[in-house]
Amino acid sequence: MLQKGSYLNVVDNSGAKIASCIHNVSNPTSRYALLGHIILVTVKKLRVKRRFASKIKKGALAYGLIVRTKIFRNSYFGDKLKFYENSIILFFKKTYNLIGTRVFGLLPKFFRFTQFMRILSLCTGISL
């Protein structure tokens, strides 16, 4: 469960390393954002190697899709999905086109049944 001010790791090659949550776009009346929700973020820190050739700059606003959370998510089969970090993938504003071309690490199988099925082909693996 993420709320305003939460820091998140960025797991794509857009050039950002850490972002902070500003607003829950998927459910504006809810205080918390969960796995699969879209949030508005600001970039707090850039990756060292891509600092000068980054696709996104420090302080820029972007949309992010939450792909990993520390709080577990129950599946329909009784499994509980939990990760060690809170992570997002960055999108351009309003268009939901990915900024990066690769996604690092595993993504949950949950995204196979959403409109973001394309990100599964960009990641290194699929978990439960």
Side-chain angles (χ1 to χ4, degrees):
M1 295 188 307
L2 304 170
Q3 58 186 356
K4 292 181 183 180
S6 296
Y7 276 56
L8 309 136
N9 294 332
V10 180
V11 292
D12 60 2
N13 65 340
S14 60
K17 185 175 184 181
I18 295 176
S20 176
C21 177
I22 295 178
H23 182 67
N24 186 359
V25 177
S26 293
N27 191 359
T29 59
S30 176
R31 180 176 182 175
Y32 301 109
L34 302 172
L35 184 70
H37 284 191
I38 297 170
I39 58 175
L40 183 65
V41 298
T42 180
V43 176
K44 294 292 185 183
K45 189 175 181 182
L46 298 176
R47 296 192 185 276
V48 175
K49 291 183 180 179
R50 297 198 43 104
R51 186 162 293 167
F52 299 108
S54 178
K55 298 176 187 175
I56 194 163
K57 303 299 178 193
K58 184 177 176 182
L61 293 177
Y63 285 103
L65 174 70
I66 302 173
V67 293
R68 296 182 203 143
T69 55
K70 287 184 180 181
I71 191 77
F72 62 85
R73 179 184 192 277
N74 291 329
S75 70
Y76 296 111
F77 305 110
D79 299 325
K80 292 184 179 180
L81 187 60
K82 183 178 179 181
F83 292 98
Y84 291 118
E85 61 182 8
N86 297 321
S87 303
I88 57 168
I89 296 173
L90 294 181
F91 293 106
F92 285 114
K93 293 182 185 178
K94 302 282 184 180
T95 59
Y96 298 138
N97 292 331
L98 293 172
I99 295 176
T101 56
R102 287 189 306 158
V103 177
F104 306 120
L106 297 173
L107 292 183
K109 192 177 183 180
F110 159 76
F111 290 109
R112 185 177 298 268
F113 310 109
T114 62
Q115 64 177 349
F116 299 107
M117 188 174 165
R118 181 173 177 260
I119 65 171
L120 290 177
S121 63
L122 300 175
C123 69
T124 57
I126 300 172
S127 70
L128 196 63

